[in-house]
């Protein structure tokens, strides 16, 4: 059901002594949010909530806080360091950790703990118990390194590649080569006049094929498979071995028995969720593929081997390969993935799944799990790709969508909190509401700085200087997620993914579909349509063929488990499964509006039973009687609904789907969710200029509350009605973000949002700045005084040039013209974040440019303190210039962003400190 509030409940354990307490916990956790919802909805409708409550943030919880991946190198962990690090994480505002055991560290081999050994399970249990004591959660990768695999996986169960051997024989010839009777899955002979002979059963025990070719020319195909050589990546001690075959159900069962043995003999606390990382298997075949293909597609693939391997007419090749690819997708979605997901649920675990990378319909795979999880990689940050995960969650009714956040965001030790904030914003506008940093490495107190590290991370750890101000970022993420986890998605359009057109390709075996190279998406019509909708401000979720089969029409809308949508929009597509086209027409007859952009599909997809399916398609097609209704748009009435064909935006307008015009302002992006009585908007300014003006929202509003997730400030916004639409006044700096809480019928009373306007020109704060280094290393540089701000690396002090940490800048000054009052304090250039205090009062932590805060000055003797924290780059540079041996990790050790050995010795020094100029601008309240 859509109104599902909590996924961190445990299912009942099989052990009877724990059954009652587990059941009671579930009941309580179910009742609390339901009762809260009843109270909330009642008060919103009746207007009886206490005045000002609409201006309050939702409660910050373990779930609304960001979590982090927590790698355990070599699993060389102990209880003291686990407890110490969890306390640090908790104080910084993290909500939980996800344990991932990986390869180890030189010199610590005697401390290694084998994955899933009794000692490892004990360490995991201690982590869960200690985290719970601190109000945190713990998840666990259902793997060592990645992906699924390890010592339990032998060749038969390992990820595999098809081996195709061909032989040409003339009439009267026998095959001279010998073939393995056990390894050969099919031996097929293709002769003149379309004759096909199955020779699989004619392979003798010695490998000889007992068959003489009849007259004519014959082409033989021998099919077997081989191990792809893809082992578990970055495996931990006890976890080495081949990756399993993701298309072969017995492999998944065998793999999970490894975990059964560990958990069946373990009685301690267990993690909240188990996780599968993104698809990096190397596989295109399985031992039972022929049998599974026939079961799913209804014909024998053995009879069409020439087409499968590209040696047939192009249409046949494309269609047979399409069927092959669809079968792979079905095997994952219906066979292997449900095995591990059902296993986890039976044991009481929530499931988190990164389906991207799989050569399958991502929407079906993501939707199988409780928490679909996406990621963005370095500069490949396409929200339209991340929307696959959030769409699957929205359509299936899963309340959370996760995101691996910070993978190769930048080069090691150079990533700023601002960059992390912008990345989080990109995730939020994609529909993500459960951030996992990528990530944090366990590091014992005894390890020399910079401690233990993971090669592809943002180094979100307390040894990185940026950690000093991480609590401000974490508070920001928690506030945003407290809103984005509340209520329900509010998207108008189900955007159909015509994956059959992608599968209908004569080249290769399986498509390469990743989040880092997205040409597979952007080059397809769905990519073009999604980008157009996105840029024009339409809200949508993707939907798959399989998901459409459960859709129904309710009150003219399309109802799916996660909610209701106004229309279904199909991008231009040539091929469509007949069952999907049939479903579209059924939905329309029952009152839905179905839009086909540009044209109706021309044909069915695939090869099996083609004539029969074409006949049905033609019959269905004949029921659609289109007539022009306006330029570039046709309409067919069908039952209580209709089919629209032509220009997509014209069709949406005719269907009454309203866009968000705010996206006409360059750089403004949004995500919208509903609650009883209104809507929440998250809006990010991802452009390089500030925005100051009115924005139109598509939803009706009597009142709007503005909420700043960086500062926590809230207030009633200025609102006006223009041509029947609501406009809200926004002041949003570049890189900034804001939440609008929109109330349809409720008049919210409370403090108004303060809009500021500059009164006159800015004045620079000048005088003697006292600079004291207060936190960091390798040693604290000597304090100094200056009248001219600049990077501290420009000083002759070598300790300053290699310093990573925090310095306090202090100055005493008078207000301009000795006029106290409200000013805008602009710090100018800051490298890279700062805490600001004026006259003993904290003004906040600024982590993104523009580094500005409003300030109340007294006429004279104002004391300004600015604590500036830089990135760690210069300190790492110093280590490499001095050839300090800190890169001590097994496996890949430590590489740079180009996967070359990391070496910072030739880096230029990174500017650090308060560069300024620091200025004051008089402010007055803008009356709106």
């Amino acid at each position: 059901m859509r109104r599902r509030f909590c996924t961190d409940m445990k299912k009942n354990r099989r052990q009877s002594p724990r059954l009652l307490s587990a059941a009671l916990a579930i009941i309580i956790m179910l009742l609390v949010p339901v009762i809260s919802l009843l109270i909330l909805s009642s008060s919103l409708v009746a207007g009886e909530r206490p005045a000002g409550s609409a201006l309050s943030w939702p409660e910050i919880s373990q779930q609304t806080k960001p979590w982090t991946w927590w790698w355990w190198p070599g699993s060389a962990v102990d209880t003291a360091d686990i407890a110490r690090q969890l306390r640090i994480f908790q104080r910084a505002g993290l909500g939980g950790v996800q344990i991932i055991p990986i390869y180890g560290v030189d010199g610590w081999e005697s401390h290694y703990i084998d994955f899933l050994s009794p000692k490892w399970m004990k360490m995991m249990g201690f982590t869960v118990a200690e985290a719970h004591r601190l109000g945190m959660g713990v998840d666990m990768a259902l793997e060592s390194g990645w992906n699924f695999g390890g010592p339990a996986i032998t060749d038969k169960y390992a990820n595999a590649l098809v081996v195709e051997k061909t032989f040409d024989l003339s009439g009267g010839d026998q095959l001279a080569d010998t073939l393995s009777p056990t390894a050969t899955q099919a031996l097929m002979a293709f002769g003149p006049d379309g004759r096909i002979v199955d020779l699989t059963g004619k392979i003798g025990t010695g490998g000889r094929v007992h068959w003489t070719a009849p007259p004519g020319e014959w082409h033989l195909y021998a099919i077997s498979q081989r191990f792809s050589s893809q082992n578990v990546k970055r495996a931990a001690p006890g976890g080495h071995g081949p990756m399993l075959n993701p298309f072969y159900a017995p492999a998944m069962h065998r793999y999970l028995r490894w975990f059964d043995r560990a958990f069946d003999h373990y009685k301690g606390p267990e993690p909240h969720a188990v996780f599968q990382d993104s698809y990096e298997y190397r596989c295109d075949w399985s031992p039972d593929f022929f049998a599974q293909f026939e079961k799913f597609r209804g014909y024998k693939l053995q009879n069409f081997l020439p087409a499968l391997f590209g040696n047939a007419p192009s249409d046949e090749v494309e269609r047979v390969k399409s069927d092959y690819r669809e079968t792979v997708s079905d095997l994952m979605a219906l066979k292997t993935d449900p095995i591990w997901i059902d296993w986890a649920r039976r044991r009481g675990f929530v499931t988190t799944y990164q389906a991207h990378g799989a050569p399958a319909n991502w929407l079906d795979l993501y939707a199988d799990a409780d928490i679909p999880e996406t990621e963005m990689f370095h500069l490949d940050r396409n929200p339209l790709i991340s929307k696959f995960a959030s769409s699957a969650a929205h359509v299936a009714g899963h309340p959370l969508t996760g995101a691996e956040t910070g993978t190769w965001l930048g080069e090691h030790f150079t990533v700023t909190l601002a960059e992390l904030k912008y990345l989080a914003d990109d995730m939020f506008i994609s529909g993500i509401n459960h951030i996992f940093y990528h990530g944090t490495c366990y590091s014992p107190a005894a390890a020399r700085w910079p401690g233990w590290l993971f090669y592809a991370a943002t180094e979100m750890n307390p040894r990185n200087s940026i950690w000093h101000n991480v609590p401000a970022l974490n508070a920001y993420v928690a506030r945003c997620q407290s809103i984005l986890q509340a209520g329900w998605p509010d998207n108008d359009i189900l955007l159909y993914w015509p994956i059959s057109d992608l599968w209908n390709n004569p080249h290769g075996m399986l498509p390469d579909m990743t989040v880092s190279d997205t040409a597979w998406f952007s080059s397809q019509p769905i990519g073009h349509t999604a980008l157009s909708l996105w840029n024009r401000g339409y809200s949508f979720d993707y939907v798959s063929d399989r998901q459409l089969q459960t859709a129904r029409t309710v009150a003219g809308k399309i109802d799916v488990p996660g909610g209701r949508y106004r229309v279904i929009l199909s991008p231009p597509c040539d091929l469509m499964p007949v069952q999907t086209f049939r479903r579209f027409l059924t939905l329309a007859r029952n009152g839905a509006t179905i839009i086909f952009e540009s044209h109706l599909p021309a044909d069915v997809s695939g090869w099996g039973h083609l004539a029969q399916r074409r006949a049905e398609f033609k019959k269905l097609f004949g029921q659609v009687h289109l007539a022009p209704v306006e330029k570039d748009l046709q309409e067919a009435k069908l039952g209580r609904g209709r089919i629209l064909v032509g220009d997509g935006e014209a069709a949406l307008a005719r269907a009454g789907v309203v866009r968000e015009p705010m996206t006409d302002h360059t750089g403004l992006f949004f995500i919208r969710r509903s609650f009883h009585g209104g809507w929440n908007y998250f809006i990010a300014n991802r452009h390089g200029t500030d925005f100051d003006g009115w924005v139109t929202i598509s939803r009706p509003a009597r009142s709007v509350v503005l909420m700043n997730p960086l500062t926590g400030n809230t207030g009633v916004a200025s609102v006006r009605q223009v041509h029947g639409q609501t406009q809200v006044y926004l002041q949003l700096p570049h890189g900034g973000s804001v939440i609008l809480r929109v109330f349809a019928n409720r008049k919210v009373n409370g403090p108004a949002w303060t809009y500021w306007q500059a009164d006159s020109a800015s004045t620079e704060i000048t005088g003697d700045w006292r600079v004291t280094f207060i936190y960091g290393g390798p040693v604290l540089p000597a304090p100094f005084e200056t009248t001219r701000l600049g990077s501290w690396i420009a000083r002759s002090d070598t300790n300053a040039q290699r310093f990573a940490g925090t310095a306090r800048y202090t100055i005493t000054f008078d207000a301009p013209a000795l006029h106290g009052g409200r000013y805008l304090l602009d710090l100018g250039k800051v490298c890279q974040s700062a805490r600001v205090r004026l006259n003993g009062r904290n003004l906040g932590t600024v982590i993104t440019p523009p580094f500005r805060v409003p300030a109340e000055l007294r006429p004279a003797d104002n004391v300004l303190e600015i604590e500036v924290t830089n990135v760690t780059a210069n300190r790492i540079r110093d280590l490499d210039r001095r050839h300090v041996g800190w890169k001590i990790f097994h496996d890949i050790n430590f590489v740079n962003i180009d996967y070359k050995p990391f070496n910072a010795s030739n880096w230029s020094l990174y500017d650090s400190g308060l560069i300024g100029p620091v200025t004051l601008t008089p402010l007055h309240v803008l009356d709106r």
Side-chain angles (χ1 to χ4, degrees):
M1 294 297 291
R2 182 178 187 175
R3 290 165 177 81
R4 175 182 170 191
F5 288 84
C6 188
T7 61
D8 52 21
M9 62 191 70
K10 289 280 192 176
K11 300 192 189 301
N12 293 341
R13 299 286 190 245
R14 290 180 298 173
Q15 296 91 343
S16 57
R18 303 164 71 183
L19 183 60
L20 182 59
S21 60
L24 182 59
I26 292 172
I27 292 169
I28 292 171
M29 297 182 79
L30 281 169
L31 287 178
V32 167
V34 171
I35 293 170
S36 300
L37 171 63
L38 293 173
I39 295 171
L40 173 62
S41 62
S42 171
S43 62
L44 285 173
V45 172
E48 295 175 353
R49 284 190 81 186
S53 59
L55 283 79
S56 301
W57 290 93
E59 180 182 357
I60 300 301
S61 68
Q62 174 194 112
Q63 184 170 281
T64 63
K65 294 176 182 178
W67 289 38
T68 191
W69 288 26
W70 198 18
W71 295 286
W72 283 6
S75 297
V77 300
D78 62 46
T79 57
D81 269 313
I82 288 172
R84 177 184 62 85
Q85 292 174 61
L86 286 175
R87 289 193 299 271
I88 294 172
F89 300 160
Q90 189 262 354
R91 288 195 298 268
L94 292 177
V97 296
Q98 180 170 270
I99 299 170
I100 305 174
I102 57 168
Y103 53 86
V105 181
D106 285 345
W108 287 80
E109 290 81 0
S110 63
H111 298 269
Y112 288 177
I113 304 171
D114 280 352
F115 182 49
L116 296 182
S117 67
K119 187 175 181 181
W120 194 96
M121 298 295 288
K122 182 179 179 181
M123 290 298 104
M124 179 272 293
F126 176 84
T127 303
V128 174
E130 184 65 13
H132 287 175
R133 188 184 69 81
L134 295 169
M136 300 176 68
V138 176
D139 291 353
M140 167 187 156
L142 198 64
E143 56 197 11
S144 152
W146 65 92
N147 292 110
F148 287 4
I153 301 302
T154 58
D155 276 3
K156 177 181 178 180
Y157 303 98
N159 48 180
L161 300 176
V162 66
V163 176
E164 166 218 8
K165 292 183 179 180
T166 58
F167 310 92
D168 292 322
L169 298 180
S170 297
D173 291 345
Q174 289 190 331
L175 186 65
D177 298 69
T178 58
L179 300 173
S180 168
T182 55
T184 303
Q185 297 176 13
L187 177 63
M188 305 297 296
F190 299 87
D193 302 322
R195 284 183 289 170
I196 303 172
V197 179
D198 186 346
L199 303 177
T200 312
K202 295 186 179 295
I203 305 173
T205 55
R208 299 287 300 177
V209 178
H210 303 295
W211 180 75
T212 301
E217 298 301 316
W218 291 81
H219 197 61
L220 274 62
Y221 283 80
I223 304 301
S224 60
Q225 69 178 53
R226 66 175 178 85
F227 171 43
S228 70
S229 301
Q230 187 77 310
N231 290 306
V232 173
K233 290 188 175 183
R234 319 308 178 209
H240 292 83
M243 289 187 190
L244 61 71
N245 191 316
F247 314 150
Y248 189 43
M252 190 66 74
H253 285 298
R254 184 180 181 88
Y255 179 67
L256 292 172
R257 285 196 289 272
W258 186 30
F259 288 84
D260 281 329
R261 288 191 293 272
F263 279 95
D264 285 348
H265 294 91
Y266 170 76
K267 305 304 178 186
E270 296 183 351
H272 156 260
V274 292
F275 163 79
Q276 179 172 195
D277 209 337
S278 59
Y279 185 102
E280 293 191 29
Y281 302 96
R282 187 165 172 248
C283 192
D284 62 19
W285 205 256
S286 66
D288 62 347
F289 194 85
F290 283 125
Q292 295 294 341
F293 183 94
E294 185 174 1
K295 186 182 300 182
F296 280 113
R297 304 280 81 82
Y299 68 98
K300 289 183 176 294
L301 181 59
Q302 297 94 313
N303 294 338
F304 296 91
L305 293 176
L308 179 63
F309 295 105
N311 299 312
S314 59
D315 184 61
E316 182 179 346
V317 169
E318 290 168 353
R319 289 179 176 277
V320 169
K321 288 197 174 194
S322 177
D323 281 346
Y324 157 75
R325 292 158 185 156
E326 186 176 2
T327 300
V328 166
S329 185
D330 288 342
L331 285 171
M332 294 193 70
L334 301 177
K335 293 289 186 179
T336 56
D337 279 351
I339 293 171
W340 76 267
I341 290 171
D342 291 345
W343 175 91
R345 289 172 178 162
R346 285 195 307 271
R347 286 193 168 271
F349 301 125
V350 169
T351 55
T352 303
Y353 186 16
Q354 291 190 353
H356 47 275
N361 193 313
W362 291 4
L363 296 171
D364 297 334
L365 306 190
Y366 276 133
D368 281 342
D370 300 301
I371 307 176
E373 183 172 299
T374 185
E375 66 177 295
M376 293 182 180
F377 189 89
H378 189 35
L379 300 178
D380 301 307
R381 289 158 61 168
N382 188 343
L384 299 177
I385 298 297
S386 295
K387 278 182 71 69
F388 276 90
S390 62
S391 294
H394 295 167
V395 172
H398 302 318
L400 297 179
T401 306
E404 171 190 325
T405 305
T407 308
W408 282 129
L409 179 54
E411 188 54 272
H412 291 288
F413 314 107
T414 68
V415 173
T416 67
L417 297 181
E419 290 170 321
L420 282 164
K421 189 266 185 191
Y422 301 149
L423 176 60
D425 289 350
D426 287 346
M427 294 296 189
F428 293 149
I429 61 178
S430 307
I432 278 68
N433 58 5
H434 192 26
I435 293 286
F436 285 81
Y437 294 129
H438 188 277
T440 307
C441 213
Y442 173 97
S443 187
R448 290 192 307 166
W449 192 91
W452 295 359
L453 303 168
F454 183 70
Y455 73 94
T458 290
E459 312 306 347
M460 183 63 76
N461 66 65
R463 303 171 305 283
N464 190 348
S465 56
I466 66 171
W467 186 266
H468 187 63
N469 288 326
V470 154
L473 174 67
N474 290 343
Y476 169 78
V477 172
R479 291 190 192 105
C480 290
Q481 294 189 159
S482 73
I483 294 292
L484 297 174
Q485 290 178 13
W488 312 281
D490 186 50
N491 296 325
D492 294 319
I493 302 166
L494 279 174
L495 180 59
Y496 168 63
W497 184 14
I499 196 170
S500 293
D501 280 353
L502 176 68
W503 284 336
N504 198 70
N505 186 317
H507 305 294
M509 294 295 283
L510 293 174
D512 188 15
M513 300 159 60
T514 69
V515 298
S516 56
D517 182 356
T518 59
W520 62 269
F521 172 79
S522 59
S523 63
Q524 291 283 310
I526 188 175
H528 303 151
T529 299
L531 181 61
S532 176
L533 293 173
W534 178 264
N535 288 336
R536 291 289 289 157
Y538 289 100
S539 59
F540 62 92
D541 285 318
Y542 305 121
V543 67
S544 72
D545 294 283
R546 180 167 288 113
Q547 289 172 319
L548 282 169
Q549 297 309 308
T550 64
R552 60 195 183 101
T553 306
V554 177
K557 294 185 178 181
I558 299 93
D559 186 86
V560 294
R564 292 179 183 175
Y565 296 79
R566 296 183 65 88
V567 299
I568 298 174
L569 171 60
S570 171
C573 68
D574 297 321
L575 304 176
M576 181 176 287
V578 68
Q579 64 268 27
T580 299
F581 192 55
R582 185 192 314 121
R583 192 66 185 164
F584 280 153
L585 301 194
T586 299
L587 291 168
R589 283 193 195 91
N590 292 329
T593 297
I594 312 296
I595 299 172
F596 291 91
E597 187 179 8
S598 179
H599 57 267
L600 290 168
D603 202 351
V604 296
S605 57
W607 181 258
H609 309 290
L610 184 58
Q612 176 185 335
R613 291 184 297 112
R614 275 177 166 164
E616 183 181 357
F617 182 83
K618 183 177 180 181
K619 182 178 179 180
L620 293 170
F621 199 98
Q623 299 171 18
V624 182
H625 303 291
L626 293 168
V629 288
E630 56 184 86
K631 183 182 179 182
D632 299 325
L633 187 64
Q634 300 178 82
E635 180 175 291
K637 298 291 186 182
L638 203 63
R640 300 194 303 273
R642 57 185 168 175
I643 304 287
L644 294 169
V645 180
D647 180 78
E649 191 157 357
L652 290 171
R654 187 170 181 84
V657 178
V658 181
R659 69 188 189 92
E660 295 286 355
M662 74 174 76
T663 59
D664 293 342
H665 301 286
T666 303
L668 291 190
F669 296 96
F670 75 98
I671 189 78
R672 186 183 63 231
R673 294 176 67 88
S674 64
F675 59 86
H676 285 300
W679 300 267
N680 286 318
Y681 285 76
F682 172 85
I683 302 172
N685 182 2
R686 300 296 282 113
H687 195 250
T689 58
D690 296 349
F691 178 83
D692 191 332
W694 294 95
V695 295
T696 302
I697 58 175
S698 70
R699 293 327 191 222
R702 187 177 179 194
S703 297
V704 176
V705 172
L706 276 172
M707 312 180 82
N708 185 334
L710 262 179
T711 66
N713 294 337
T714 65
V716 179
S718 292
V719 174
R720 69 184 185 186
Q721 302 297 320
V722 178
H723 305 304
Q725 289 188 296
T726 301
Q727 292 190 339
V728 183
Y729 197 80
L730 287 186
Q731 293 178 322
L732 199 55
H734 60 276
S737 49
V738 69
I739 287 164
L740 306 185
R741 178 167 284 178
V742 176
F743 296 89
N745 300 307
R746 179 183 174 189
K747 175 66 175 176
V748 175
N749 295 312
W753 182 262
T754 303
Y755 298 95
W756 297 105
Q757 182 169 335
D759 274 339
S760 59
S762 300
T763 301
E764 184 176 355
I765 296 177
T766 58
D768 294 325
W769 290 90
R770 300 183 303 280
V771 183
T772 305
F773 294 87
I774 60 174
Y775 177 81
V779 296
L780 296 179
F784 65 92
E785 293 189 7
T786 184
T787 59
R788 184 175 180 181
L789 293 172
S791 175
W792 68 55
I793 66 167
R795 298 183 57 75
S796 58
D797 185 352
T798 56
N799 285 334
Q801 292 175 352
R802 61 180 179 156
F803 179 73
T806 303
R808 181 185 297 122
Y809 292 72
T810 306
I811 192 170
T812 302
F813 67 97
D814 296 335
L818 297 178
H819 288 146
R822 182 67 68 165
Y823 287 79
L824 181 67
L825 174 62
D826 190 331
L827 306 186
K829 183 178 179 180
V830 173
C831 296
Q832 274 69 44
S833 63
R835 300 180 184 181
V836 185
R837 189 163 50 250
L838 180 67
N839 298 327
R841 179 173 175 265
N842 290 324
L843 300 186
T845 301
V846 285
I847 61 174
T848 65
F851 298 98
R852 302 187 299 224
V853 292
E856 187 77 31
L857 299 187
R858 55 197 183 201
D861 298 325
N862 294 280
V863 179
L864 176 62
E865 299 169 280
I866 305 170
E867 294 181 1
V868 179
T869 301
N870 68 340
V871 294
T872 304
N874 295 338
R875 187 173 179 182
I876 286 292
R877 173 183 180 270
D878 172 68
L879 288 187
D880 281 350
R881 289 171 71 85
R882 293 190 290 115
H883 306 290
V884 175
W886 61 273
K887 289 162 276 190
I888 55 172
F889 314 108
H890 293 172
D891 200 283
I892 196 172
N893 197 353
F894 203 77
V895 294
N896 66 18
I897 201 165
D898 297 317
Y899 280 77
K900 301 294 192 295
F902 182 90
N903 186 351
S905 62
N906 293 322
W907 286 4
S908 299
L909 286 168
Y910 274 67
D911 278 337
S912 302
L914 182 61
I915 315 297
V918 180
T919 62
L920 293 166
T921 306
L923 295 175
H924 75 266
V925 176
L926 184 63
D927 184 12
R928 287 292 178 186

